[in-house]
Amino acid sequence: MPRPVGPQSRPARRIPRAASVLCALVVLLSGCAALERELDARKPTVEVEGLRLTGLDFGEARLQLDVRIDNPNPFEVSIAGLDYAVMVTGERLVSGEHRRPLEIPADGAETVGVPIRVRFDDVAAVLGGLGGRESVDYGVEAGVTVDMPVRGETRLPLRASGVLPVPQRPGLALAGVEIERLDASGARLVARIAVDNPNAFALALDGLDYALAVGGRDWASGRTEPDLVVPAGGEETVDLSLELDLAAIGAGAYRLLRGGGDADYRLRGEIAGALGERDLGRFTLGFDSSGRVTLER
């Protein structure tokens, strides 16, 4: 009996196992790529909001790096920490970490202030000496580590640069001596001490300890507390009223004062005050100067 002619059912074709795994992998990878793009779009952004000088003395400079962190996500993002390195001429000068945990609110922003201390001895070591430099160019390389869902911890880099002022020691010299009174028992003098400020910022002086010798003999010593601001790149004088006991300092002083003219002097002591009119930092410096001074009648 002839077999009926018509459509016949075909057995189901089996997809090889390797192919099915490949298809699943393609779907997964395409999903991962989309997720990666979404994570990149949602990654917090960081920027330097400010890099400023907060303190200064003749030993170190104190800076603050202000970093703004913006979170575009509808959920909080954790900041694990911030690291930084200060660079001078490509050499690392100082580095550190700021590891205070911080939560950035959803669709919010926070500014983190990071204190940095730079010692001038370290700057001199990198540059081979400061050589009278008034300033040094520097850079800060930093990174904020954020803890993202799925991705985990991610470091977001940022850079900043600035100019670091290098304080120069003020110069002190005896500018002149005016003789107000002279007799056999003693003398009253006004000694004018010139204070030269070679810096690009003012110096506010409030303390001066001194010892003055003229013609090889000690004439006077003491302390004065001037309320004096020496402007940037300028010079001011401190007047010292001195009472001399001629019997104590010798007859040679009397002859020197009576004759007038020039004499050798040596001025030693300490000067105290603050850098900048907004008090960047206090200082106490020793000084020792010598030269010739005119005794005026």
Side-chain angles (χ1 to χ4, degrees):
M1 186 173 186
R3 300 175 62 184
V5 178
Q8 298 182 3
S9 62
R10 297 180 180 178
R13 180 181 296 176
R14 292 186 177 181
I15 300 176
R17 181 178 179 81
S20 63
V21 171
L22 180 61
C23 290
L25 188 59
V26 168
V27 172
L28 180 61
L29 288 177
S30 63
C32 286
L35 178 60
E36 193 73 20
R37 288 193 298 271
E38 180 63 21
L39 289 175
D40 281 337
R42 291 288 182 177
K43 187 166 60 177
T45 59
V46 295
E47 65 176 337
V48 175
E49 199 168 66
L51 180 59
R52 52 198 170 92
L53 183 68
T54 59
L56 186 69
D57 57 39
F58 289 89
E60 68 176 19
R62 294 173 290 282
L63 310 169
Q64 179 157 312
L65 176 67
D66 294 321
V67 179
R68 178 184 171 92
I69 308 166
D70 285 272
N71 176 22
N73 294 283
F75 50 80
E76 281 189 348
V77 169
S78 298
I79 303 301
L82 187 148
D83 62 88
Y84 66 87
V86 179
M87 315 293 289
V88 172
T89 64
E91 297 288 332
R92 178 172 295 198
L93 190 65
V94 63
S95 60
E97 292 183 324
H98 187 69
R99 283 291 175 184
R100 187 187 68 182
L102 179 67
E103 301 294 329
I104 309 299
D107 296 315
E110 294 285 348
T111 297
V112 180
V114 182
I116 301 173
R117 302 173 81 95
V118 177
R119 296 175 63 249
F120 289 116
D121 285 348
D122 295 336
V123 179
V126 168
L127 296 177
L130 293 176
R133 289 174 181 255
E134 295 183 357
S135 62
V136 173
D137 294 332
Y138 72 97
V140 176
E141 297 180 357
V144 177
T145 301
V146 298
D147 193 358
M148 293 285 293
V150 180
R151 176 174 286 180
E153 289 193 353
T154 301
R155 183 180 182 274
L156 308 176
L158 66 161
R159 294 172 178 264
S161 61
V163 177
L164 192 66
V166 179
Q168 306 295 310
R169 295 172 67 94
L172 280 84
L174 187 59
V177 174
E178 182 181 351
I179 305 168
E180 292 188 334
R181 178 182 61 83
L182 177 63
D183 55 40
S185 63
R188 179 185 301 119
L189 314 177
V190 175
R192 295 188 301 276
I193 298 178
V195 183
D196 175 61
N197 177 18
N199 294 285
F201 45 81
L203 294 179
L205 306 182
D206 54 24
L208 174 65
D209 292 284
Y210 63 89
L212 174 64
V214 179
R217 299 296 299 268
D218 292 333
W219 275 21
S221 62
R223 175 179 175 82
T224 184
E225 297 180 349
D227 183 11
L228 181 68
V229 175
V230 186
E235 181 180 285
E236 295 288 343
T237 59
V238 178
D239 289 345
L240 303 178
S241 294
L242 307 179
E243 292 283 345
L244 302 187
D245 183 348
L246 296 181
I249 64 177
Y254 177 79
R255 290 193 296 270
L256 184 61
L257 289 169
R258 185 174 182 180
D262 293 344
D264 293 329
Y265 80 88
R266 185 180 182 188
L267 182 65
R268 295 170 291 164
E270 286 187 339
I271 190 169
L275 280 72
E277 293 185 57
R278 62 184 183 92
D279 195 356
L280 290 170
R282 292 198 55 78
F283 68 88
T284 300
L285 291 174
F287 63 89
D288 189 341
S289 67
S290 58
R292 299 279 290 176
V293 65
T294 299
L295 307 177
E296 303 171 354
R297 293 297 301 267

